[in-house]
């Protein structure tokens, strides 16, 4: 579904990604893990189009994604739940969800989507009239995920949904992602620093270090890998 080949990108003269290749099949749950500054957010920015790569290809289905203007990419079915949530603080929960539903598919599927979003993330139903800026961090993260889902995506990209959250809240979010994937068949691409949880949640993983993919495999292979165990799992 999403094929990234030899991608290089960075900021002005600072190269960050260096020949990254990643493949996500339809229906797969793929995690990209790696330390601070590895380039995980940079990778997501090139997929959603905030950043133009200096080399490489990205195809989404049969479409050459780099030829699609960034503003059109959500309409193809790519939802980017950004690092740090970035909900609209002065809009209500419901209005934030409506902003997510601006895509054609999101408009058509609104009624059904909102029902399912409220089922998966019930706190959003309870707080639908509350201003997003007054939600807790965990609630804002759930809203950011709900807003992504409201666009009726084919691919849901999540940039560190657990960031700054209590372990129990992060665990709830990971569990709901598994549930969402199971019930919707959605393809999910997750970036995480919580490596143990991410590799438990996803079925395939990539380890990104200093802008390069250094390891790849299914979750069991990665969790059993000595380098992963030492560097990321504290074993
Ligand atoms: N707007 C920017 N301008 C210049 N350099 C940047 C910019 N954004 C990120 N960088 C640099 O690019 C590198 C990769 O950053 P990136 O945000 O992609 O890392 P990350 O893997 O997402 O890290 P984290 O886990 O901390 O979120 C870092 O060295 C960072 O300082
Ligand atoms: Mg990041």
């Amino acid at each position: 579904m999403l094929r990234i080949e030899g991608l290089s990108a960075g900021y002005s003269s600072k190269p960050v990604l260096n020949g990254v290749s990643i493949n996500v099949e339809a229906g797969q749950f793929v995690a990209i893990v790696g330390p601070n500054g590895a380039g995980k957010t940079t990778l997501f920015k090139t997929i959603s189009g905030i950043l133009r790569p200096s080399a490489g290809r990205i195809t989404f289905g049969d479409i050459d994604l780099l030829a699609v203007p960034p503003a059109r990419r959500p309409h193809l079915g790519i939802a980017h739940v950004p690092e740090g949530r970035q909900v609209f603080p002065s809009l209500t929960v419901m209005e934030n969800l409506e902003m997510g539903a601006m895509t054609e598919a999101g408009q058509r599927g609104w009624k059904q989507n909102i029902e399912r979003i409220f089922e998966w993330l019930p706190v959003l139903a309870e707080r639908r009239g509350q201003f997003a800026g007054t939600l807790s961090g965990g609630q804002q993260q759930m809203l950011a995920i709900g807003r992504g889902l409201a666009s009726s995506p084919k691919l849901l990209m999540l940039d560190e949904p657990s960031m700054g959250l209590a372990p129990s809240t992060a665990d709830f979010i990971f569990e709901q992602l598994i549930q969402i994937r199971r019930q919707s068949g959605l393809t999910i691409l997750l970036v995480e620093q919580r490596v143990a949880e991410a590799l438990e949640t996803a079925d395939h993983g990539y380890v990104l270090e200093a802008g390069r993919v250094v390891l790849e495999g299914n979750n069991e292979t990665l969790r059993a890998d000595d380098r992963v165990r030492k560097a990321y799992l504290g074993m």
Side-chain angles (χ1 to χ4, degrees), residues 8-17 42 45 50-55:
S8 297
Y11 306 93
S12 48
S13 61
K14 183 185 182 342
V16 175
L17 299 178
T42 302
K45 284 184 185 168
I50 299 164
L51 200 64
R52 253 202 100 67
S54 52

Side-chain angles (χ1 to χ4, degrees), residues 4 16-17 70 76 78 87 153 189 206 223:
I4 299 169
V16 175
L17 299 178
L76 298 179
I78 298 176
V87 295
L189 183 58
Y206 290 82
R223 276 190 290 172

Side-chain angles (χ1 to χ4, degrees), residues 43-73:
L43 173 67
F44 269 20
K45 284 184 185 168
T46 59
I47 300 171
S48 58
I50 299 164
L51 200 64
R52 253 202 100 67
S54 52
R57 285 170 55 80
I58 306 179
T59 42
F60 184 65
D62 306 328
I63 299 167
D64 172 9
L65 200 60
L66 296 178
V68 178
R72 280 301 304 166
R73 295 185 198 182

Side-chain angles (χ1 to χ4, degrees), residues 11 14 16 35-42 45 83 160 163 193:
Y11 306 93
K14 183 185 182 342
V16 175
N36 285 125
K40 305 181 297 296
T41 297
T42 302
K45 284 184 185 168
E83 186 173 72
E160 294 204 43
M163 191 194 260
Q193 270 193 65

